[in-house]
Each structure stands twice: as C-alpha cells, then as structure tokens.
Amino acid sequence: MKKNIQLQLFLDKSREREYIRLPFSVDADTESISIRYRYPSSFAGQDGPFLIEGEPCTIDLAVMMPDGRMAGSSGSDRSSILISPLGSSAGFQSCELPEGTWHIIAGAYHIPANGVAVEYEVEVTPKERRLFKGDTHVHTTASDGILEAGEAALLARRMGLDFLIFTDHNNSAQNDRLPFYEDITLIPGTEWTHYKGHAGFLGSEQAFSTPFFTASLEETRALFMEAEENGAFRVINHPFCPLVPWEWDFSLPFDGLEVWNGVMSERNEKAAIWWHQQLCSGRKLPVTGGSDYHRPGLLGSLAMPCQCLYAPSRSRADLLKALRQGSGYVSYLPSGPQADLIAVSPEGLPASFGDVAVRGEYTDIQLTGLCQGDEIRLITDTAAESLIAPSGACELKLRRRFPDALFLRLELYRSYAPGLPPMKALLTNPVYYRGCR
C-alpha cells in the first residue's frame, strides 16, 4: 500500500538563503518516491485595474538519501519529481531506494517579508510481487545478430515484453552503452562462446577480462570464477545441442541451466531430463529459457520461449535476483499459458517458485491461459500426476499436499495443431520442500 506523507514548512525572512532539511521515512523494498510541493510564488497586490507584482519567492528542491549522498536537485523550476530505479526525473539518480530517513532539502532562495508557507506531498510506493516477461538470450550487431540493442528493445516493447538480456558472443564492449527506456529493462550480459560449449554470464557489464579462448579445465574454471566475482549469473546454455554440446565437466562452478533454447526440441528435453536428475539428488538449480535470438524467422522469434519472472519490481537488481532464485517459469510464447503456486515457508510466509517450503503443508497451484486438451503435469522426485483440460477449460486451481517430496515443478503439454503430437508449452522452476514446521 502506498504511503502518503504530508509535510509543512513555514519560512520567515530571517531564514532566507538557508538550506532546511525535512526528514521522511522510506521502508525497505520501496519502488518509487514522488515529491510534489507548492507555495505562492509571488505576493501580488492591486492598484485599480492593475495587478502589482509582489516580492519574489523562490524555494529550491533537492533530495538527500539516508547515507548523505544526494539523490538529485531540481532547483525551483519544477513542482514535482520522481525517483525510481526504473527511471527518475531529470537531475535525479535512477537507483535502488535504500531504507531509512531521507531528507527534502528546501533551499530558501528568496523569502518575502511576511514569510511563506510551503506544503510538500511525498508518496512512497512499495514494491509488489508481480509477473514480468522477457528474453534471457539475445544477440545484436555487437556479435552476429542483425538488430542493434535499441532496435531489439523497440521490437520487444511492441511485443509487450518487460526485459531483455543481451548476450553477445565473447563481447561486453557494448554493455556500458545500452539505451535506457522507462517501459522496458535492458540488462547486460555475455555469452561465453567456446568450441566446447556456451555459457551465459548474465547481469554483468564485463564478466571477464581474460581471454575467452581457454585451453584447459583449470583455465575455464578460473574464467567462471572471475565471472562470479564480477557479479554474473552463470548459466550453461543449450548443454545438449548437437552442434555445440557442453563438453566441459559439469563440475565447473555455475548457477543455472538453460533447459529451453529456441523452439522445443530433443536437445531441450534432454536438458530437462538431466536437470530433473539433479533435483532428485537434492540439488537446488534454477533454470532459464531464451530464444537465442539473432534475426527474425519462422523459428527465430524474440521471446520464443519467454522467460517469466515473479519479482517485486522491474529493476535490474530485482529481475536478476528473481532469475538467480528461480522465481518463475518458461512459456513457449509471451502469450502462452501462465502458472503460479503458493506454499508455506518455514517462517510461515508465502513461498513460491524457487523458494523453500514446508514439506507436508498445502500448496495452491494455479494455471491460466489453458486450452482444451492441455496436459498439466505435477512432477516431484517420487511421482507425477497428470490432468487433461476439458472442453472450455481456461484456468486450473488445485490444492495439494506432498508429504514425501523434495520438490514440486509443473509442466504443460499442448498440441499446437490438429494431428501434431503434444509438445511442451510451459515448464516451471520448482518449489523445494524441506523438513516440517
């Protein structure tokens, strides 16, 4: 729920040319701060039919963060400003908003003889869990794609996507020049491309500075460690691709697995099977899906498949955190079926994809955008339950308990045309069950 704060300040003439601090509180997980202020700019009089200009009155506006850093300043030319990691008013930083006591800095530039009353309205908007759609594997003209980053972003915006992650081959030179748009989040990355396999290093402007052409497992391990130190989320891409399979040891340090690359195919099914085996062994491993987009084509659409993430905002930091957590699923298209589930964490809080939940407590499952004949699979390490959507079905709501399971994940299979066998249309990350309350 938004928090509205009303602040009032009276300035008399003696305070002219002072800077006055007005504190206000910002909670953790805040998405945006908007500030509006008003005051009479001039005290006018009247001489017969003439309006007489009064004394000048000018109050400047600046904002300071809890640690003393300036968030920005606008002078007195604007009556409202916005601060958000998704885009701020000119002159103000676009950054994550730290918890604590912030300050409006009122600059008393010109104060009339009788003083002036200034009114401030501060609106603090909290972050809220919601679904964002995008693509984690996109190439541009910085390597072998045919679209520049800005062109790919414009295409994604027309498709209604919320984010793109750029993954040009062995190249990070373009990452510090990504364009900025208020309605789509562009995230830097690199696809480490080697004859013995590919890996996505997501979220880092420069994941590695050493040569990409490693010659041994030890050199490759060092490169992966460097990527981790530089903040990259390390994903092994299309590991069972027949053209470029993963020939390195899976003991290399990595954070996630791309189980769905481009259109659904045997290589993706093999990746999903290998991943399922890892889950059954007790490993917690998030998965991603990406189009590997290079150019338009029948089998080369952006966001085919579509990475769907539940995150508290569309900031880079929140989307990358959701990706690391496995907070979501992969759908074959942005318009494809959607999934959600809510279980109970050991702390008694809601738990969903990528989270740890209490084994044996109820899990609520929801799928929307269904079609007749869709097969929904509820998959654990010990069993799989299958449900077929009947005629007219558009949504599924279930409540289940899994007292003996290590995890639960969902899959949906759909026949895309009459006569064609069903193919995977949705795959979720798991919720992980541990212990009991």
Side-chain angles (χ1 to χ4, degrees), residues 415-429:
S415 178
Y416 296 112
L420 291 181
M423 294 181 65
K424 190 175 293 178
L426 178 140
L427 175 146
T428 76
N429 272 285

Side-chain angles (χ1 to χ4, degrees), residues 179-253:
F180 175 80
Y181 300 98
E182 290 189 357
D183 53 354
I184 187 169
T185 302
L186 305 184
I187 300 175
T190 301
E191 184 173 27
W192 177 67
T193 305
H194 194 285
Y195 300 132
K196 297 178 68 174
H198 295 183
F201 295 153
L202 312 182
S204 173
E205 288 193 353
Q206 185 172 7
F208 55 90
S209 57
T210 52
F212 67 88
F213 44 93
T214 58
S216 67
L217 185 62
E218 290 72 23
E219 288 182 359
T220 303
R221 186 180 302 277
L223 184 139
F224 272 58
M225 295 299 291
E226 181 185 4
E228 180 186 37
E229 292 170 0
N230 291 327
F233 176 58
R234 304 161 299 179
V235 180
I236 294 180
N237 287 344
H238 45 72
F240 297 96
C241 173
L243 297 177
V244 190
W246 185 254
E247 298 177 9
W248 298 100
D249 195 321
F250 279 102
S251 67
L252 281 172

